[in-house]
Amino acid sequence: MSIKQLAFLERLTEVLPEIALVQDESVLSENSRDFGQLAEEPIRPIAVVVPTEVEQVQRVMRLATEFGVPVISRGAGTGVSGGVHVLGPAIVLNLSKMNRILEIRPDDEIAIVEPGVINHDLNTAVAEFGLMYAPDPASYKMSTLGGNVATNAGGLRCAKYGVTRESVLSLDVVLADGRLIRVGKNTFKGVAGYDLAALFTGSEGTLGIVVRAVLRLRYLPVDQRDISLVFPSLEEAVHGVQLIARARIQPAILELVDHATMQVLDEQYSTNLSASGGAMLLARLDGYGALREEDAIRDVFAERDVEVSPSGSNGATELIEMRRTSRGDTKDDAYRTGEDVAIPKSKMVEYVHRLQATAKQERVDMRMISHVGDGNLHPTFSVEPDDGDDPLGRLHRAVESSVRIALEMGGTITGEHGVGLIKKDWLPWEQSADVLELQRSIKGLLDPLNILNPGKGI
């Protein structure tokens, strides 16, 4: 550790409560990364700071600016893009102890929270008022709302309610130099000035540190209907998504599970899903029109070769929870990589065809689960370590092809997981040099010393 870093830590101990500064080796290791799998292993931060008040965050940033020490803010670390990986000397600002629900205003349909509040805990708190917080990433029982805002997290209910940005009204943000600003509004509508709340949402901790959020709540559905549809093939299931859309049916959740994933779920949950067909759609209809929408879906597929779950059974509900809590098996590693592209819904059948051809050409296995209700697809590629020549090279080519094909179809390199480190090299495939330079200029204006999560996002 350098003399400057030692001096910085000494000053930190002077301005922060003793409990807020942690240098235990196990804590440093735990805070050095998220769930993203990178070839380059993270290093331990020089310290972890665990603030409980906004003023403490401001003190940290004032000192970090004075000494030029990078700061990586994080919550539960459930991201998968390497967005909080530590790759150089830095402190980690762990906001998980700033976990108070500051206010629930049911008549205004908003909640005011600190960044460390767990997504699921907010939903539990507002349910008694007949309300819900709609964004529901798969990690909703673990992930913090601050992390959800930082990554503009998605989830299963995005098909109807949109991603995190659609539920963020206002943010309190500590800037790199320690200033505290408030952006956005407390109302559902408001167009005064530039939409800076949207700018900070999804900025992955590179522009400022969110310390308070005003979030829009939605009505807890008075009725909810879950339905599963099993198709002979993956292509027919994807086409089924288009048929549902053409019937102008709006599911709250619409998920696709392919045959390979059905087999994995059979192993995990002792089910027999894979014997029933080649792919499956899982739909949730909610609100006063849920029953009518369920009937409409049944009408759409009445004359087609589709196995539809019985009305009122809880089987489809159980399948949605299995899908929510499992991407198929263990996390990604060197020989297994999951992707997160989004494409126009009209292109999904073509995308599946081209991906299957790519997997066959590169001799890798592929399976797919997807938030097909909004065109967010998660293909996963894998190869056995001893499977022929250059297995890692073939895997890498298949993954890159899946991203390039998505871009060719007017899609994006990431639908919900963020750029972080893992997709940073791919961003120029999607965005022009002028757009990238504009973003760097914004970063330079807000963080001239480049101490906020440097090297991530852009």
Side-chain angles (χ1 to χ4, degrees), residues 272-288:
N272 195 30
L273 300 173
S274 57
S276 58
M280 179 168 55
L281 289 180
L282 303 172
R284 172 165 293 169
L285 301 315
D286 69 359
Y288 282 102

Side-chain angles (χ1 to χ4, degrees), residues 118-414:
I118 302 296
N119 183 301
H120 177 65
D121 292 347
L122 176 61
N123 267 298
T124 299
V126 302
E128 65 176 282
F129 302 104
L131 298 168
M132 69 175 182
Y133 177 65
D136 63 334
S139 59
Y140 75 106
K141 290 186 178 180
M142 299 169 54
S143 61
T144 63
L145 292 167
N148 292 172
V149 171
T151 58
N152 193 23
L156 277 67
R157 288 196 293 239
C158 291
K160 184 172 184 177
Y161 297 103
V163 295
T164 297
R165 182 174 283 118
E166 277 68 62
S167 293
V168 173
L169 300 177
S170 173
L171 298 172
D172 284 12
V173 182
V174 174
L175 299 179
D177 60 7
R179 284 178 295 163
L180 177 66
I181 63 171
R182 179 165 293 173
V183 296
K185 66 276 182 191
N186 290 312
T187 54
F188 295 166
K189 294 176 70 175
V191 293
Y194 297 141
D195 191 352
L196 297 181
L199 174 65
F200 284 102
T201 303
S203 62
E204 302 186 37
T206 63
L207 300 180
I209 298 168
V210 173
V211 292
R212 175 184 175 274
V214 179
L215 303 175
R216 179 177 183 175
L217 304 175
R218 310 282 178 160
Y219 302 136
L220 200 63
V222 298
D223 190 16
Q224 182 173 284
R225 304 278 170 155
D226 296 336
I227 185 170
S228 65
L229 305 100
V230 180
F231 296 78
S233 69
L234 178 61
E235 293 90 340
E236 288 171 282
V238 176
H239 181 59
V241 176
Q242 296 177 338
L243 294 177
I244 292 171
R246 289 169 189 168
R248 298 302 180 247
I249 301 165
Q250 178 59 77
I253 292 174
L254 187 59
E255 297 290 303
L256 178 143
V257 180
D258 74 351
H259 190 261
T261 306
M262 291 162 73
Q263 290 176 314
V264 174
L265 294 176
D266 283 344
E267 295 175 5
Q268 285 186 323
Y269 297 99
S270 300
T271 54
N272 195 30
L273 300 173
S274 57
S276 58
M280 179 168 55
L281 289 180
L282 303 172
R284 172 165 293 169
L285 301 315
D286 69 359
Y288 282 102
L291 178 58
R292 185 174 178 180
E293 288 186 314
E294 180 188 355
D295 290 341
I297 285 185
R298 293 183 184 280
D299 289 343
V300 168
F301 296 102
E303 303 300 323
R304 295 178 179 273
D305 184 17
V306 179
E307 180 183 323
V308 184
S309 61
S311 183
S313 71
N314 64 357
T317 302
E318 293 173 355
L319 289 171
I320 288 175
E321 290 311 303
M322 288 164 58
R323 158 65 187 99
R324 184 187 294 278
T325 58
S326 176
R327 203 174 71 181
D329 56 7
T330 56
K331 293 188 297 184
D332 295 347
D333 57 30
Y335 295 91
R336 178 186 182 277
T337 301
E339 260 313 313
D340 164 48
V341 299
I343 60 173
K345 290 171 64 176
S346 63
K347 301 288 188 180
M348 287 195 295
V349 174
E350 181 185 353
Y351 184 76
V352 167
H353 278 302
R354 292 185 63 179
L355 237 58
Q356 290 174 325
T358 296
K360 183 177 180 180
Q361 177 182 338
E362 296 295 351
R363 308 193 317 277
V364 299
D365 294 325
M366 185 195 82
R367 65 173 178 269
M368 182 180 293
I369 57 173
S370 306
H371 308 306
V372 285
D374 56 13
N376 185 192
L377 308 180
H378 294 306
T380 295
F381 301 91
S382 61
V383 64
E384 294 298 324
D386 56 355
D387 180 14
D389 60 301
D390 191 22
L392 286 180
R394 292 174 3 235
L395 178 66
H396 181 70
R397 288 194 297 271
V399 171
E400 285 205 345
S401 292
S402 74
V403 176
R404 289 192 181 276
I405 292 169
L407 291 174
E408 289 172 16
M409 294 183 171
T412 177
I413 64 173
T414 175

Side-chain angles (χ1 to χ4, degrees), residues 68-132:
V69 175
V71 177
I72 301 171
S73 58
R74 62 170 283 150
T78 57
V80 294
S81 67
V84 296
H85 274 48
V86 181
L87 299 179
I91 66 163
V92 167
L93 196 61
N94 188 315
L95 302 169
S96 60
K97 296 295 186 183
M98 294 180 66
N99 57 4
R100 293 173 294 180
I101 299 175
L102 299 172
E103 190 176 0
I104 297 171
R105 295 186 354 217
D107 289 340
D108 293 326
E109 300 159 28
I110 68 170
I112 304 174
V113 302
E114 291 184 325
V117 174
I118 302 296
N119 183 301
H120 177 65
D121 292 347
L122 176 61
N123 267 298
T124 299
V126 302
E128 65 176 282
F129 302 104
L131 298 168
M132 69 175 182

